[in-house]
C-alpha cells in the first residue's frame, strides 16, 4: 500500500493514507474532492492499476481535466423505500434465478452495509391537527403493508441490510444526524485505520452529506447493485467546478436563498455531471446547516457533488447532533493530518470556476416550473399575470391563482434547525396578530427528523405553527416527493369549473409540472418562513414586497416585514431550543415503531412470490438470458419528446389517477379505485410500472401531438394506442424501437424504473441532445444505449414523422467509451440522412455491461461462472 502515516486520536493509534507524501507537492493544487478520490484509490486499488490511477489523479492538478478512469469504492450504501424496493426485488428475483440454476441463493448478498430509510411513502392525508402524524402513519402502514413486509424480509435474510422504519425521518437527514461518521475507524489486515467516510445513495439528493465533508453522490439503483455485489464504481476522473464564495449573507436572507441562487448560476453555465466544490472565505461564514441546504440541491444545479470541506463548523455540527467527543476528535485529527482540512485562503485548480458574493444574494423563490428559474420573492405576481389565465366562472371567493398547497417539506430545508425556527417565529408573529391561512390552503409541516418536534416544542414554537395550520404531519418526504394527499374539495371543484389555476408553494427542491401533485403545474420553491407567509396570503399573485400579507379584523395591514424574524431573534430562539441528546433519543424512539414491527415477514432464503400480488412481482429482466440490445438494426421511434424530460415524466411517483388505464389494470385485479396509492408504491410490480411509463399530462409526444396520456401511434398501422400496447405490437412484429429526446433527458431523480420501463417497452437506444448523469447511468445499467446527437441536430430539426425509421450501427465489438456511432434517418418518403452520434458511455465497465445486457444479467453470469469454476477445481473424493 502507498505512503501511510500513524495518527493518535482519543488515546488510540491509527494508520491513514499520507496524502501530502503521496501527492508529491501537488496536494494544495488539487480540489478537496479529488484529494478524497486519491485517498480512496490509494487505499482500495491494487498493483499497477493503482499506480496508474494515482498518477492520473496527480496529473489532473496540472491540467484540470482527465480522460482516465478510476475505481471508487464507497464504504456504505444509502437507499430509501421506493428505490430499495425495486433493487431488493431484483435481488430477490436473482436469488430465485440462481436457485433454479442449482446454485445456493445465499451466495447473493450485499458486500457493503446498506441502510434503507422508509421515508418516501408518507402522504399528507391528515393535516392541521395534533394527531396528524399518528393518523398518517396508520394510512401509510395499511397501504404499504405487503411491500413493507417484503422490506422486513430483506433485512432478515440479506446480510448487511438495515431498515430504518417509517417515522425515523428522511434518509438524507438520517445520514447527517445518525449515519455519517466523516472519519471512520476500521480494521484492515489486522491494523486499526482511520479513513474518510465515503458513500453512495440511490437518491439524487445524496450530496446533502457533502455539506459536512462526506464525499458521496446519488446513483441509480442499478449502479448501487453493482457496488452491493462487490464491484467498485468506475468513473472518469471528473471535471471539477469551483464556486468561490465571498462576503456574508445579509440579514433576512437564508440558506434556501443561497441554494436557489447557486442553482440558477450553475445551470446558466451548463453544468452537467461535473463535481462542484465550494471554496473561498465566504465558506467559513456558513454553518454546516447552511452548507447542507446548498449541497442538497446538487442535482438541481446539474452536478454530481456540491462539496464543502471539513472545518470547525463541521465539528460543531457533529457535537450538536450528539456525536461522542472521541468521534469528533477522530475527524479533526484525520482531516488536519492528511491535508483534508479546509483552508479559506486556498485556491486549488479547477476545471472552471465562478464566484458568488454572498452579500449580493437576496430573498428568492424559484419557479413556477423549474428549480433554476430564479426570481425575487415579490415577482410571483408578475410571473402569474403573464400567464393571462381567464377564469370561466366565479371561484367562490378564491383568487384566480390561489395557493392550493403550502408545505414546509423536504430534507433540503427542514434538516437545518435554523430554517424551522425561522418559520416558527413567522408563525408566532402571525398568531399574535390573529392571522390564519384561508380555507382553501392545504398546509403541512413534514420535517426530516423526529428531533424537530423536540426542539420546536422546547422553543415554544409548536403551538404557534399549529395556530396557523402548520402542524407536523409526520417525518418523511411528503409533498416534496409528490405525496401531498388530496387537494381540498373547494379547490378541486373550482379547478373542474376552470375557475382557478392553483399554485403550490413549498420548501422542497423540485417543482416540475405534476411533480408535487398530478393536477398542479405551477409551483414555487422557497424557504420555510416564506412558505408560511404565502400560505397566509393565500394568493400567489400577490406581490409581498409591496402588498400586505393579510389585513387583520381591525383593519391593520400586515406586511411581510412585520412577520419576518431578525437574525438575532432566530439565534436566541435556536440557542434555547437545542439539546444534542434529542437526535439519538428521538431516532431510537421512532425506530421502535410498533406498527412496523408487527408486520408479518417471511424468513426463507427465497422470497415466496405471490402471483396475485399487485405490489410485488418477479420481474422478467432478472434473468441470465436477457441478451444485449446492441447491434445493427433499424427501428421505429416509439415516441419523440423535447427538452427537460424529467424522470417524473418517464416514471411518475405521484398518485395513480383513478381514471387511468393503470387504475383499470389494478381494479381488474381487486384493488380499490379510490385507494390506489402512488406509482412509487408499485415499483415492486413490473406490470404496473411498465403501464405507467410516460404517464404524464404535461409530456408531449412530438411524433403524435394530441394523443391521450401515455399513448402513441403505431406507425405501420397508423393506430393510436397505449405505449405498452404499441411496444408489444412492435415486438410481436419483430420491429425494433428507439426513443428520441432533446436536452437534459432524464432530469431529476435517481429512480431506476425510468430506465426499467424503457427496457420493458423494448427501447434499444435513446437518442438525445444531452442526458442527466444518473439517468444515463441507469439506461446503461438496463442495457439501453444512450446516444448523443451531433451539434445542431435536435428533435425539432429532425422533424420526424410517422413512418420514419432510424438505423443504428452499434455492433458490440465496435463500442468503446465516447465512440462515434453512425445513425441514419430513413424517411417515409424514401430520403435518408446520416448522422454521427456519440455513445454516451463513460467507462469500459459500462461498455462491458451493455455487451452483456445490463447489470443484472452481467451479475448472474459472473456468479454462475464462478460457481462452475469452483465446481471444476474442487478435488474429487472417493
Amino acid at each position: 500500500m502507498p505512503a501511510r502515516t500513524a495518527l493518535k486520536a482519543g488515546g488510540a493509534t491509527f494508520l491513514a493514507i499520507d496524502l501530502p507524501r503521496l501527492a508529491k507537492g501537488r496536494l494544495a493544487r488539487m480540489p478537496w474532492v479529488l484529494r478524497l478520490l486519491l485517498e480512496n484509490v490509494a487505499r482500495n486499488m491494487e498493483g499497477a492499476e493503482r499506480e496508474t490511477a494515482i498518477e492520473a489523479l496527480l496529473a489532473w492538478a496540472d491540467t484540470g481535466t482527465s480522460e482516465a478512469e478510476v475505481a471508487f469504492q464507497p464504504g456504505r450504501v444509502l437507499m430509501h423505500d421506493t428505490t430499495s424496493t425495486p433493487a431488493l426485488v431484483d435481488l430477490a428475483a436473482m436469488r430465485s434465478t440462481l436457485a433454479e440454476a442449482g446454485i445456493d441463493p445465499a451466495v447473493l448478498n450485499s458486500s457493503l452495509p446498506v441502510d434503507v430509510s422508509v421515508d418516501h411513502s408518507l402522504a399528507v392525508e391528515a393535516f392541521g391537527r395534533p394527531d396528524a402524524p399518528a393518523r398518517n402513519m396508520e394510512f401509510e402502514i395499511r397501504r404499504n403493508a405487503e411491500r413493507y413486509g417484503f422490506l422486513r424480509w430483506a433485512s432478515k435474510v440479506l446480510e448487511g441490510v438495515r431498515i430504518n422504519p417509517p417515522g425515523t425521518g428522511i434518509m438524507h437527514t438520517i445520514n447527517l444526524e445518525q449515519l455519517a461518521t466523516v472519519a471512520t475507524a476500521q480494521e484492515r489486515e489486522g491494523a486499526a485505520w482511520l479513513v474518510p467516510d465515503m458513500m453512495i445513495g440511490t437518491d439524487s439528493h445524496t450530496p446533502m452529506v457533502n455539506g459536512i465533508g462526506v464525499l458521496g453522490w446519488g446513483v441509480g439503483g442499478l449502479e448501487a447493485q453493482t457496488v452491493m455485489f462487490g464491484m467498485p464504481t468506475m468513473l472518469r476522473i471528473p471535471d471539477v467546478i469551483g464556486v468561490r464564495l465571498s462576503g456574508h449573507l445579509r440579514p433576512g436572507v437564508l440558506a434556501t436563498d443561497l441554494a436557489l441562487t447557486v442553482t440558477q448560476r450553475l445551470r446558466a453555465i451548463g453544468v452537467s455531471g461535473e463535481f462542484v466544490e465550494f471554496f473561498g472565505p465566504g465558506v467559513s461564514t456558513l454553518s454546516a446547516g447552511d452548507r447542507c441546504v446548498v449541497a442538497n440541491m446538487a442535482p438541481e444545479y446539474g452536478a454530481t457533488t456540491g462539496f464543502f470541506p471539513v472545518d470547525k463548523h463541521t465539528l460543531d455540527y457533529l457535537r450538536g447532533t450528539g456525536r461522542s467527543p472521541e468521534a469528533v476528535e477522530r475527524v479533526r485529527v484525520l482531516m488536519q493530518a492528511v491535508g483534508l482540512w479546509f483552508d479559506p485562503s486556498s485556491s486549488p485548480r479547477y476545471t472552471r470556476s465562478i464566484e458568488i458574493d454572498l452579500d449580493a444574494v437576496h430573498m428568492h423563490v424559484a419557479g413556477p416550473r423549474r428549480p433554476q428559474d430564479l426570481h425575487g420573492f415579490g415577482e410571483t405576481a408578475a410571473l402569474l399575470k403573464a400567464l393571462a389565465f381567464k377564469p370561466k366562472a366565479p371561484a367562490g371567493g378564491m383568487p384566480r391563482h390561489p395557493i392550493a398547497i403550502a408545505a414546509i417539506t423536504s430534507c433540503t430545508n427542514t434538516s437545518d434547525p435554523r430554517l424551522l425556527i425561522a418559520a416558527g417565529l413567522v408563525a408566532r408573529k402571525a398568531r399574535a396578530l390573529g392571522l390564519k391561512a384561508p380555507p382553501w390552503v392545504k398546509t403541512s409541516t413534514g420535517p426530516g427528523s423526529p428531533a424537530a418536534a423536540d426542539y420546536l416544542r422546547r422553543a415554544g414554537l409548536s403551538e404557534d405553527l399549529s395556530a396557523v395550520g402548520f402542524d407536523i404531519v409526520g417525518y418523511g418526504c411528503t409533498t416534496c416527493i409528490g405525496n401531498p394527499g388530496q387537494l381540498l374539495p373547494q379547490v378541486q371543484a373550482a379547478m373542474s369549473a376552470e375557475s382557478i389555476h392553483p399554485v403550490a408553494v413549498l420548501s422542497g427542491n423540485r417543482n416540475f409540472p405534476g411533480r408535487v401533485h398530478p393536477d398542479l403545474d405551477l409551483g414555487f420553491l422557497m424557504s420555510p418562513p416564506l412558505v408560511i407567509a404565502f400560505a397566509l396570503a393565500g394568493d400567489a399573485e400577490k406581490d409581498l414586497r409591496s402588498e400586505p400579507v393579510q389585513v387583520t379584523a381591525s383593519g391593520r395591514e400586515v406586511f411581510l416585514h412585520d412577520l419576518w424574524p431578525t437574525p438575532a431573534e432566530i439565534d436566541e430562539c435556536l440557542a434555547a431550543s437545542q439539546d444534542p441528546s434529542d437526535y439519538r433519543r428521538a431516532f431510537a424512539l421512532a425506530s421502535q415503531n410498533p406498527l412496523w414491527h408487527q408486520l408479518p415477514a417471511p424468513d426463507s432464503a427465497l422470497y415466496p412470490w405471490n402471483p396475485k400480488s399487485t405490489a410485488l412481482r418477479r420481474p422478467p429482466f432478472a434473468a441470465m438470458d436477457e441478451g444485449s440490445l446492441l447491434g445493427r438494426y433499424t427501428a421505429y421511434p416509439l415516441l419523440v419528446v423535447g427538452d427537460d424530460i424529467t424522470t417524473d415524466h418517464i416514471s411518475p411517483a405521484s398518485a395513480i389517477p383513478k381514471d387511468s388505464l393503470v387504475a383499470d389494470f389494478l381494479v381488474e385485479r381487486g384493488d380499490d379505485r379510490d385507494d390506489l396509492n402512488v406509482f412509487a408504491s408499485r415499483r415492486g410490480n413490473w406490470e404496473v410500472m411498465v403501464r405507467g411509463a410516460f404517464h404524464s399530462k404535461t409530456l408531449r409526444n412530438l411524433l403524435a401531438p394530441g394523443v391521450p396520456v401515455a399513448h402513441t401511434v403505431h406507425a405501420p398501422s397508423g393506430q393510436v394506442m397505449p405505449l405498452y400496447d404499441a411496444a408489444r405490437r412492435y415486438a410481436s412484429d419483430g420491429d425494433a424501437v428507439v426513443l428520441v429526446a432533446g436536452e437534459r433527458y432524464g432530469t431529476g431523480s435517481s429512480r431506476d424504473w425510468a430506465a426499467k420501463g424503457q427496457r420493458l417497452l423494448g427501447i434499444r437506444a435513446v437518442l438525445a441532445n444531452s442526458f442527466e448523469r444518473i439517468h444515463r447511468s441507469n439506461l446503461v445499467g438496463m442495457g439501453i444505449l444512450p446516444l448523443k446527437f451531433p451539434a445542431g441536430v435536435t428533435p425539432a430539426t429532425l422533424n420526424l414523422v410517422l413512418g420514419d425509421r432510424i438505423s443504428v450501427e452499434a455492433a458490440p465489438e465496435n463500442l468503446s467509451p465516447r465512440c462515434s456511432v453512425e445513425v441514419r434517418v430513413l424517411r417515409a418518403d424514401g430520403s435518408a440522412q446520416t448522422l454521427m452520434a456519440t455513445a454516451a458511455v463513460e467507462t469500459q465497465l459500462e461498455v462491458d455491461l451493455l455487451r452483456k445486457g445490463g447489470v443484472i444479467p452481467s451479475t448472474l453470469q459472473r456468479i454462475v461462472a464462478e460457481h462452475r469454476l469452483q465446481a471444476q477445481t474442487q478435488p474429487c473424493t472417493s
Side-chain angles (χ1 to χ4, degrees):
M1 186 173 286
R4 60 182 76 179
T5 185
L7 308 175
K8 289 189 178 296
T13 300
F14 299 92
L15 295 177
I17 297 294
D18 190 341
L19 287 176
R21 187 147 57 102
L22 184 65
K24 305 170 186 174
R26 284 183 275 192
L27 196 65
R29 299 206 304 277
M30 296 181 72
W32 279 271
V33 287
L34 293 193
R35 300 180 201 186
L36 285 162
L37 281 182
L38 178 63
E39 191 278 344
N40 190 280
V41 162
R43 179 163 43 89
N44 292 305
M45 293 183 73
E46 296 179 347
E49 289 183 347
R50 174 170 61 197
E51 298 310 313
T52 300
I54 289 172
E55 287 305 316
L57 281 161
L58 295 179
W60 194 102
D62 299 322
T63 62
T65 192
S66 176
E67 294 296 317
E69 296 176 17
V70 297
F72 173 70
Q73 185 62 65
R76 55 192 179 91
V77 178
L78 187 65
M79 293 181 162
H80 59 72
D81 58 297
T82 61
T83 52
S84 68
T85 297
L88 295 173
V89 163
D90 290 351
L91 197 150
M94 292 164 72
R95 279 187 158 217
S96 297
T97 300
L98 290 173
E100 290 161 359
I103 298 172
D104 181 2
V107 301
L108 192 61
N109 268 300
S110 176
S111 61
L112 287 178
V114 179
D115 268 282
V116 175
S117 293
V118 184
D119 61 1
H120 270 53
S121 300
L122 176 67
V124 184
E125 302 295 350
F127 68 100
R129 49 191 296 167
D131 65 346
R135 291 174 63 87
N136 289 327
M137 177 68 72
E138 290 169 3
F139 278 116
E140 177 184 358
I141 295 290
R142 177 181 58 78
R143 286 173 171 164
N144 299 284
E146 184 182 1
R147 182 165 60 93
Y148 286 0
F150 169 78
L151 293 177
R152 282 176 46 75
W153 168 82
S155 67
K156 285 182 177 183
V157 173
L158 304 177
E159 296 173 7
V161 175
R162 177 173 60 183
I163 311 291
N164 298 310
T168 52
I170 300 175
M171 63 185 292
H172 306 303
T173 312
I174 292 173
N175 199 18
L176 289 170
E177 295 177 357
Q178 310 295 331
L179 305 178
T181 62
V182 188
T184 301
Q186 61 180 222
E187 185 173 316
R188 298 174 65 89
E189 299 176 354
W193 278 74
L194 205 52
V195 304
D197 183 8
M198 304 188 210
M199 49 83 63
I200 58 170
T202 59
D203 186 272
S204 56
H205 295 101
T206 298
M208 187 169 201
V209 79
N210 294 175
I212 58 171
V214 173
L215 183 59
W217 58 85
V219 300
L222 295 158
E223 187 174 346
Q225 286 176 31
T226 66
V227 174
M228 289 166 64
F229 300 147
M231 299 171 66
T233 292
M234 298 300 299
L235 69 156
R236 182 175 68 84
I237 298 176
D239 289 352
V240 184
I241 295 176
V243 179
R244 186 177 188 275
L245 301 180
S246 59
H248 298 74
L249 290 177
R250 300 162 55 169
V253 174
L254 298 169
T256 312
D257 304 304
L258 174 58
L260 297 178
T261 300
V262 169
T263 300
Q264 186 272 330
R265 289 287 305 278
L266 289 176
R267 278 295 187 184
I269 65 169
V271 172
S272 181
E274 295 94 333
F275 281 30
V276 165
E277 179 173 284
F278 297 88
F279 72 108
V283 169
S284 298
T285 70
L286 301 175
S287 70
D290 293 333
R291 298 171 189 180
C292 290
V293 176
V294 176
N296 177 283
M297 291 194 71
E300 280 68 52
Y301 43 82
T304 299
T305 68
F307 191 79
F308 290 85
V310 172
D311 66 0
K312 65 182 184 64
H313 291 295
T314 313
L315 306 187
D316 290 342
Y317 179 83
L318 295 174
R319 293 187 193 98
T321 48
R323 267 57 165 219
S324 69
E326 295 78 14
V328 177
E329 177 67 4
R330 285 197 293 267
V331 174
R332 184 193 65 78
V333 168
L334 176 65
M335 299 299 162
Q336 290 183 346
V338 302
L340 295 173
W341 189 260
F342 179 61
D343 177 1
S345 65
S346 178
S347 293
R349 173 158 198 157
Y350 292 103
T351 310
R352 290 186 286 168
S353 63
I354 66 168
E355 178 155 356
I356 294 177
D357 178 4
L358 299 180
D359 291 289
V361 177
H362 298 277
M363 287 171 57
H364 288 298
V365 300
R369 293 187 173 96
R370 299 191 308 175
Q372 64 263 44
D373 295 332
L374 187 72
H375 308 284
F377 71 92
E379 294 177 26
T380 61
L383 290 165
L384 295 173
K385 281 184 173 66
L387 298 179
F389 171 73
K390 295 181 179 179
K392 291 189 175 180
M398 279 184 277
R400 64 176 180 169
H401 289 293
I403 305 288
I405 290 174
I408 297 175
T409 179
S410 175
C411 52
T412 312
N413 289 300
T414 70
S415 299
D416 181 5
R418 185 176 183 84
L419 291 173
L420 287 184
I421 293 292
L425 289 170
V426 169
R428 173 175 291 175
K429 295 183 180 187
R431 180 189 184 192
L433 292 166
L435 307 186
K436 291 183 181 293
W440 58 80
V441 184
K442 186 172 186 178
T443 53
S444 62
T445 300
S449 169
D454 293 327
Y455 64 70
L456 287 171
R457 190 180 304 112
R458 191 176 294 115
L461 296 173
S462 298
E463 291 185 1
D464 296 314
L465 287 162
S466 179
V468 295
F470 282 86
D471 298 84
I472 289 176
V473 296
Y475 308 97
C477 301
T478 60
T479 301
C480 184
I481 193 56
N483 275 335
Q486 295 293 317
L487 298 175
L488 294 180
Q490 59 266 51
V491 172
Q492 295 183 54
M495 288 180 69
S496 296
E498 298 183 51
S499 301
I500 59 171
H501 193 172
V503 178
V505 296
L506 65 154
S507 64
N509 44 51
R510 291 187 181 138
N511 54 351
F512 309 131
R515 161 80 178 193
V516 171
H517 188 283
D519 293 333
L520 299 182
D521 66 344
L522 300 176
F524 288 99
L525 307 180
M526 58 188 67
S527 67
L530 205 51
V531 168
I532 293 183
F534 270 93
L536 293 169
D539 182 359
E541 213 171 340
K542 269 193 177 182
D543 179 351
L544 294 189
R545 292 171 304 186
S546 57
E547 295 182 67
V549 174
Q550 268 194 35
V551 178
T552 68
S554 64
R556 175 185 168 182
E557 293 185 333
V558 180
F559 290 88
L560 185 62
H561 63 76
D562 297 316
L563 303 176
W564 206 255
T566 66
E569 289 173 322
I570 298 173
D571 291 341
E572 180 182 358
C573 202
L574 184 63
S577 72
Q578 293 299 294
D579 179 346
S581 67
D582 284 345
Y583 297 88
R584 301 283 163 161
R585 182 178 61 247
F587 182 76
L589 184 62
S591 297
Q592 297 169 15
N593 185 339
L595 294 178
W596 169 265
H597 290 288
Q598 289 166 10
L599 289 170
D603 54 12
S604 53
L606 294 178
Y607 185 73
W609 303 103
N610 177 2
K612 295 183 179 179
S613 172
T614 58
L616 300 164
R617 295 296 306 278
R618 182 177 171 181
F621 47 71
M624 280 179 270
D625 56 357
E626 273 293 278
S628 174
L629 299 179
L630 297 175
R632 298 178 175 89
Y633 56 87
T634 299
Y636 287 100
L638 184 63
L639 72 166
V640 179
V641 294
D643 296 342
D644 294 305
I645 300 303
T646 72
T647 50
D648 286 280
H649 288 116
I650 303 168
S651 183
S654 56
I656 298 172
K658 63 172 64 178
D659 60 350
S660 64
L661 293 174
V662 180
D664 295 343
F665 174 81
L666 289 167
V667 171
E668 286 169 7
R669 283 151 184 80
D671 283 9
D672 180 355
R673 193 178 292 273
D674 292 321
D675 193 15
L676 295 174
N677 211 334
V678 293
F679 280 107
S681 71
R682 306 285 182 165
R683 289 180 184 161
N685 186 338
W686 68 271
E687 290 190 293
V688 175
M689 297 308 295
V690 69
R691 287 169 172 82
F694 298 97
H695 197 288
S696 170
K697 291 181 180 179
T698 60
L699 180 72
R700 186 165 178 254
N701 182 356
L702 302 179
L703 191 64
V707 298
V709 173
H711 280 60
T712 192
V713 178
H714 176 253
S717 68
Q719 289 181 287
V720 174
M721 60 181 69
L723 275 168
Y724 177 62
D725 292 344
R728 288 197 300 174
R729 179 83 171 268
Y730 280 121
S732 67
D733 292 345
D735 293 323
V737 293
V738 296
L739 185 143
V740 176
E743 296 283 1
R744 297 172 292 278
Y745 183 69
T747 294
S749 75
S750 66
R751 64 192 66 162
D752 52 8
W753 260 107
K756 288 175 176 175
Q758 292 175 82
R759 172 83 190 218
L760 289 173
L761 289 173
I763 293 170
R764 296 182 68 167
V766 176
L767 299 92
N769 291 107
S770 65
F771 296 87
E772 286 292 284
R773 177 184 61 87
I774 299 179
H775 185 61
R776 184 205 63 81
S777 172
N778 277 336
L779 289 172
V780 171
M782 285 308 295
I784 299 170
L785 178 63
L787 293 171
K788 291 176 68 173
F789 284 127
V793 176
T794 69
T797 63
L798 284 176
N799 192 27
L800 295 168
V801 299
L802 281 178
D804 288 349
R805 294 179 298 158
I806 296 175
S807 171
V808 178
E809 292 287 325
E813 64 273 14
N814 295 337
L815 190 68
S816 62
R818 298 175 293 284
C819 69
S820 295
V821 174
E822 182 180 294
V823 173
R824 300 186 71 223
V825 179
L826 308 174
R827 302 289 183 180
D829 63 9
S831 62
Q833 177 183 358
T834 301
L835 314 168
M836 293 308 295
T838 301
V841 180
E842 290 295 315
T843 66
Q844 188 58 43
L845 175 61
E846 291 188 341
V847 172
D848 294 341
L849 289 176
L850 287 165
R851 288 173 177 166
K852 293 175 181 177
V855 167
I856 293 173
S858 173
T859 302
L860 289 170
Q861 291 162 27
R862 175 172 59 84
I863 292 172
V864 169
E866 290 170 355
H867 176 76
R868 288 173 178 164
L869 181 62
Q870 262 184 347
Q872 291 168 3
T873 55
Q874 288 207 348
C876 294
T877 58
S878 58

